[in-house]
């Protein structure tokens, strides 16, 4: 019974939108499809290093616009 509930919970969890950023939102380093990702507000972001995930999660408004675009993205 527990396994069934866990399976249903996982299946019902919405998937995050895939990452499209080419620069790390925190440090601005280059990222690739193989880069580490983190999910913030339902959107994946690629990161340049292991320390940026905690930084982005701690204060996403510092690095992301209201629409989710990284503040350091070219306009």
């Amino acid at each position: 019974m527990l396994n069934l509930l866990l399976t249903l919970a996982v299946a019902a969890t919405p998937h995050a939108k895939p990452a499209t950023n080419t620069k790390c939102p925190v440090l601005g380093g280059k990222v690739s499809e193989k880069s580490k990702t983190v999910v913030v507000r339902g959107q994946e972001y690629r990161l340049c290093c292991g320390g940026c995930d905690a930084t982005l999660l701690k204060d996403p408004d510092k690095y992301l616009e209201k629409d989710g675009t990284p503040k350091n993205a070219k306009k």
Side-chain angles (χ1 to χ4, degrees):
M1 180 71 167
L2 181 59
N3 285 341
L4 176 61
L5 291 174
L6 289 174
T7 301
L8 291 174
V10 170
T13 303
H15 294 288
K17 294 177 187 174
T20 59
N21 59 304
T22 57
K23 294 189 325 184
C24 174
V26 178
L27 294 179
K30 289 184 181 181
V31 296
S32 71
E33 291 182 8
K34 295 180 180 181
S35 297
K36 181 177 181 174
T37 61
V38 66
V39 177
V40 178
R41 301 182 192 133
Q43 172 71 49
E44 284 186 343
Y45 296 93
R46 294 183 184 115
L47 305 169
C48 64
C49 67
C52 290
D53 57 347
T55 303
L56 182 59
L57 288 169
K58 182 178 179 182
D59 191 6
D61 291 332
K62 181 175 180 179
Y63 303 101
L64 303 174
E65 300 289 353
K66 296 285 183 196
D67 67 358
T69 305
K71 289 185 176 181
N72 64 5
K74 290 184 180 179
K75 297 185 181 190

